[in-house]
Amino acid sequence: MDLFSSALGKNITFVRPAYFTISGFSGVPHVKYYYVFLFFVYVVSVLGNTAVMAVIYLDHNLKTPKYVAVFNLAFVDLLGSTALVPKVLDIFLFNHYNVPYNECMMFLFFCNTCLSMQALNLVALSYDRLMAIMFPLHYQTKVTNRSMFSLISFFWLFAIIITLIAVGLLTRYSFCKSVVINSYFCDHGPIFRLACNDTFPSLVIAYMSFFLILWLPLVIILSCYLCIGYALSKVATAQERLKAFKTCTAHLSLVAIYFVPILITYTLGADIHPNARIINLSLTAVVPPMLNPIIYVLQTQEIKLSLKKVLKMKNLSKIMFK
């Protein structure tokens, strides 16, 4: 308890810097081209996720639990990319390396919340696939729009609470060592390591978040697919098994793209080189939001048909207008 009491600020005068300095890459020539690359990835991500959200919203046939989760995934990807990339470009392309203290805390909150929701949303999609394959005749009664809304709302609340605790603990620290954050954004780990009082609570919440937001969702997803594999093994023909499995390929692609690089980064922790950490985290933050809509459009028949309908209606309206 003494450790937590000291970290929570009892009898401590907080030394809060006016700003933090984001260091970014060190010793990498022509690094600005990398941030230009992030900008183009961001543009593709915004266009793709907006298109997916618009198609799901406009097509009544897509008002199903699965597409409630897909819509939320697109929304999280759009929100997360917008919270991160424009600010990163402002810092490194326009040399605004000093980020005000309160702005840095907000920056951290939105980035971490969206990163957490990406993982939790993949859990919601795996649950949907599990119910659809294991209980095909009862799927519509077991998984409804209301139950999917409730599950996603719980995940949002959970992600927000975990991130608020992490940010709240940071605000109870004194920063008298340095204000230079060895990352490309206001990163939780590099920030609390700069504090000069006891940071044990932040270390605990960092490990808890790592388990609850990364490892636990991955274990749940893999468990769902073990159950799906067992259920498919009982299906009579190989053609039926392949047809059922094809409905999972888009989701499995998203799981691999998201979890592999981020688990490598956070498992290595402080041992990873700062430049390697920046590359892994930045690509994990911007590449999955760009690829998610492309994967769902290419691998999901319903969205393909819906897009064709939308484009056909658009062409007809142009002809009628002329």
Side-chain angles (χ1 to χ4, degrees):
M1 287 299 294
D2 291 337
L3 290 172
F4 280 87
S5 297
S6 62
L8 290 175
K10 291 185 178 180
N11 299 321
I12 292 176
T13 301
F14 300 122
V15 180
R16 292 183 180 176
Y19 58 85
F20 286 105
T21 301
I22 312 296
S23 66
F25 288 100
S26 59
V28 179
H30 310 295
V31 73
K32 288 194 175 182
Y33 291 113
Y34 180 73
Y35 298 112
V36 173
F37 163 74
L38 292 185
F39 169 73
F40 284 111
V41 171
Y42 170 67
V43 170
V44 175
S45 175
V46 169
L47 294 174
N49 286 294
T50 302
V52 168
M53 291 168 64
V55 168
I56 295 173
Y57 178 78
L58 294 172
D59 192 341
H60 293 288
N61 294 323
L62 298 181
K63 299 295 191 295
T64 62
K66 175 184 176 180
Y67 289 103
V68 169
V70 172
F71 184 94
N72 186 66
L73 180 63
F75 173 72
V76 170
D77 287 344
L78 184 62
L79 182 63
S81 297
T82 303
L84 177 69
V85 178
K87 185 62 181 176
V88 168
L89 297 179
D90 178 59
I91 292 170
F92 295 106
L93 291 184
F94 299 99
N95 302 324
H96 297 153
Y97 300 106
N98 297 331
V99 181
Y101 179 89
N102 290 332
E103 188 176 324
C104 198
M105 295 297 108
M106 291 295 292
F107 191 20
L108 169 62
F109 171 78
F110 281 108
C111 290
N112 277 22
T113 300
C114 291
L115 196 66
S116 301
M117 271 307 300
Q118 286 176 335
L120 295 172
N121 213 98
L122 293 173
V123 174
L125 285 165
S126 67
Y127 167 73
D128 174 82
R129 290 300 84 208
L130 177 68
M131 294 293 105
I133 291 174
M134 292 197 69
F135 307 101
L137 299 179
H138 304 285
Y139 170 73
Q140 291 184 342
T141 56
K142 287 181 177 291
V143 184
T144 62
N145 284 353
R146 184 176 180 179
S147 66
M148 186 58 76
F149 271 121
S150 299
L151 181 62
I152 289 172
S153 298
F154 169 76
F155 283 156
W156 270 109
L157 185 63
F158 180 71
I160 288 170
I161 289 173
I162 287 286
T163 310
L164 277 177
I165 292 172
V167 175
L169 286 172
L170 290 181
T171 63
R172 311 301 293 176
Y173 293 146
S174 294
F175 295 90
C176 51
K177 294 180 181 177
S178 172
V179 294
V180 179
I181 300 172
N182 292 318
S183 186
Y184 74 110
F185 77 115
C186 292
D187 200 348
H188 179 256
I191 290 178
F192 81 72
R193 292 189 186 97
L194 296 176
C196 50
N197 44 342
D198 182 37
T199 59
F200 179 72
S202 283
L203 186 63
V204 170
I205 200 68
Y207 279 112
M208 282 181 60
S209 299
F210 181 65
F211 174 74
L212 294 173
I213 301 298
L214 291 174
W215 277 113
L216 185 59
L218 183 59
V219 168
I220 293 171
I221 291 168
L222 294 178
S223 300
C224 286
Y225 276 102
L226 285 174
C227 295
I228 287 171
Y230 177 74
L232 291 179
S233 68
K234 293 184 175 182
V235 176
T237 66
Q239 188 176 0
E240 290 175 338
R241 288 196 290 269
L242 182 61
K243 185 179 178 181
F245 184 74
K246 277 185 176 180
T247 64
C248 303
T249 54
H251 179 253
L252 281 171
S253 301
L254 305 187
V255 171
I257 290 167
Y258 176 82
F259 279 102
V260 171
I262 201 167
L263 282 175
I264 291 172
T265 303
Y266 282 106
T267 300
L268 292 175
D271 296 328
I272 191 171
H273 191 276
N275 287 349
R277 178 186 175 86
I278 291 171
I279 290 174
N280 274 1
L281 285 181
S282 59
L283 291 180
T284 302
V286 299
V287 172
M290 178 190 71
L291 293 180
N292 290 353
I294 296 172
I295 290 170
Y296 261 101
V297 168
L298 293 179
Q299 296 190 16
T300 308
Q301 193 64 27
E302 297 95 332
I303 291 186
K304 283 183 184 177
L305 294 173
S306 184
L307 273 173
K308 287 178 182 177
K309 286 179 186 178
V310 171
L311 293 173
K312 189 176 180 180
M313 289 175 62
K314 187 177 179 181
N315 290 333
L316 283 174
S317 63
K318 284 183 178 179
I319 292 169
M320 290 177 66
F321 180 75
K322 288 180 179 178

